[in-house]
Amino acid sequence: MTARSVHEIPGTQKKRLNPPQILAIGFLSTIIIGAILLKLPFATTTPITWLDSFFTATSATTVTGLIVVDTPGAFTLFGEIVIMVLIQVGGLGIMTFAILAFLIMGKKISFKQRLVMQSALNQTTSGGIVKLVKKVLILALSVETSIAFLLALYWSSEMGWQKAIYYSIFHTISAFNNAGFSLWSDNLSRWVGDPIVNILISSLIIIGGLGFTVLVNLWEARHLRDLTLHTKFMLVGTLIINAFAFVMIFSLEFHNPETLGNLSFGGKMWGAYFQAITTRTAGFNSVAVGGLRDATLFLMILLMYVGAGSTSVGGGIKLTTFITLLLSVEKILRGKKEAVAFGRTIKDSIFMKAFAIVVTSLTFIFIAIFILSLTEKAPFIDVAFEVVSAFATVGLSTGLTGHLSVVGQIVIMSMMFIGKLGPLSLVFLLATPEVKKVRYPEGKIFIG
């Protein structure tokens, strides 16, 4: 048998990893390295279990913010820095830093690496991907540096320059990457009525949640007509959903003594505003989440599920997916042949992808809620809240995270990983492409 014929035998060819598999391996590797570093004796004030170490590393790498141990109480300066680095790497993307390293070393970026970056940044083409990565890094580091300087300047009078600089860097990275980790045990509750902290932190959350393609488009655009349809969707959609969330939270919690009830009118306004901004993506809290009314928790579940923008650091099904579904429903109800927005027709293939994302994500969420309902002794609303918070990589919690069983922690870790990778990416990672040999005749079914 010749060498050539050996290569032609089915199953003897070496299988190559596809982009979703490479990204999954990259995230898993980062989580493992992070967990090992956090388990080191000098990373914690008191020893923590391997499970707690892996949970924290997963939460940081997936920029979620759910915690099973108190961050400032359990970790030393070294441990906190490890968490901060994991947040930055996980938020901006492992492949982004890999491309940066190649550029610094002067090495050529291969076509395969460009394809992986295309998948990571959810781009339709690999053309100009390296240029996009450069702009993403410049934008991210510029925004983080600017806001960190302003926060350090503001906090320096209260805690001194050294502590203020460190705290501002940590919270800036955590906020821009929509992680929700804080160096205060009460998160940002002490700043509930502070306009400066609310504005600076919420600005980082919004900018990080818009998505890198939106930020680059805003950077390059000279006129409004230069804005893409995706950018217009994100800007208008973000404004509307944030305003809606603010009005609802302000109304629902106005008289609640456990959240906004005992604050001044200005404090109520800032508390509702900040919680409206952070709920979809970031996971910071300036009011006690465990004290929120059930109606507010249910509203926040929906906001978390919608999530941030595509190609952003945030999770969820993505705001543009949600808008696309609304347009699809409007198209069907009004009997329109095409869905049009901002003078542009939206392809049916986009509607199908949005539908697939919703069905896949709800399947994972349903399975996780079902398991936790069996393993955890907690109200259903708390279980559902925790699962969606993990899937959407938000990080808000009613207090259930710290009391999860071993199975519960593993389920929540899995949901954080799925949410960061994306439900469709996970399906593509596990599925084997179908080679269609026969085309069957069409059949009709009745729905609705």
Side-chain angles (χ1 to χ4, degrees), residues 37-191:
L37 291 175
L38 291 176
K39 193 68 175 65
L40 295 174
F42 50 84
T44 56
T45 54
T46 55
I48 62 173
T49 65
W50 276 107
L51 183 59
D52 289 346
S53 177
F54 268 97
F55 190 99
T56 304
T58 302
S59 184
T61 305
T62 59
V63 293
T64 303
L66 289 173
I67 56 174
V68 286
V69 292
D70 181 48
T71 304
F75 296 101
T76 62
L77 176 62
F78 174 80
E80 291 171 356
I81 292 175
V82 170
I83 291 173
M84 182 168 58
V85 171
L86 290 175
I87 292 171
Q88 185 77 303
V89 172
L92 294 184
I94 296 165
M95 284 305 300
T96 301
F97 286 96
I99 295 296
L100 175 63
F102 275 102
L103 292 174
I104 292 174
M105 292 185 293
K107 292 188 176 182
K108 187 178 180 180
I109 311 300
S110 68
F111 179 69
K112 185 176 181 180
Q113 290 164 339
R114 292 172 190 268
L115 288 178
V116 176
M117 279 307 305
Q118 176 188 337
S119 176
L121 293 175
N122 198 20
Q123 299 298 296
T124 56
T125 175
S126 60
I129 200 71
V130 175
K131 182 180 178 182
L132 177 61
V133 169
K134 290 179 181 178
K135 289 185 176 180
V136 166
L137 286 168
I138 292 172
L139 281 168
L141 297 179
S142 298
V143 171
E144 288 179 345
T145 302
S146 302
I147 301 297
F149 172 77
L150 294 175
L151 276 175
L153 194 65
Y154 183 67
W155 283 338
S156 61
S157 60
E158 179 177 332
M159 58 184 75
W161 274 106
Q162 185 176 357
K163 187 176 180 180
I165 291 173
Y166 173 60
Y167 270 54
S168 65
I169 293 174
F170 186 97
H171 288 88
T172 294
I173 290 175
S174 183
F176 180 79
N177 291 288
N178 287 205
F181 277 90
S182 177
L183 295 178
W184 289 291
S185 297
D186 61 354
N187 209 273
L188 298 181
S189 296
R190 64 187 63 196
W191 307 104

Side-chain angles (χ1 to χ4, degrees), residues 236-278:
V236 175
T238 298
L239 179 63
I240 292 174
I241 198 169
N242 284 346
F244 169 76
F246 164 72
V247 172
M248 292 299 295
I249 293 174
F250 182 79
S251 303
L252 291 169
E253 297 298 318
F254 189 88
H255 296 294
N256 186 353
E258 296 185 53
T259 54
L260 302 180
N262 295 326
L263 300 175
S264 63
F265 185 79
K268 296 177 194 290
M269 293 283 287
W270 285 116
Y273 162 78
F274 188 79
Q275 213 54 60
I277 299 298
T278 190

Side-chain angles (χ1 to χ4, degrees), residues 62-64 122 178 209 241 279-282 300-322 325 354 357-358 360-362 365 387-395 415-425:
T62 59
V63 293
T64 303
N122 198 20
N178 287 205
I241 198 169
T279 296
R280 282 195 306 115
T281 57
M300 291 171 71
I301 287 174
L302 296 177
L303 292 172
M304 290 189 297
Y305 180 69
V306 171
S310 181
T311 75
S312 75
V313 293
I317 63 170
K318 302 299 188 281
L319 180 56
T320 44
T321 304
F322 178 69
L325 288 173
I357 290 172
V358 169
T360 307
S361 61
L362 287 177
I365 289 172
V387 169
V388 176
S389 180
F391 166 78
T393 67
V394 174
M415 290 302 292
M416 289 190 286
F417 184 78
I418 292 170
K420 181 60 181 176
L421 193 62
L424 280 187
S425 294

Side-chain angles (χ1 to χ4, degrees), residues 3-24:
R4 182 177 177 180
S5 62
V6 171
H7 289 296
E8 292 174 349
I9 296 176
T12 60
Q13 294 181 351
K14 185 178 180 181
K15 293 183 179 180
R16 294 182 178 181
L17 297 175
N18 58 37
Q21 290 172 330
I22 294 174
L23 290 175

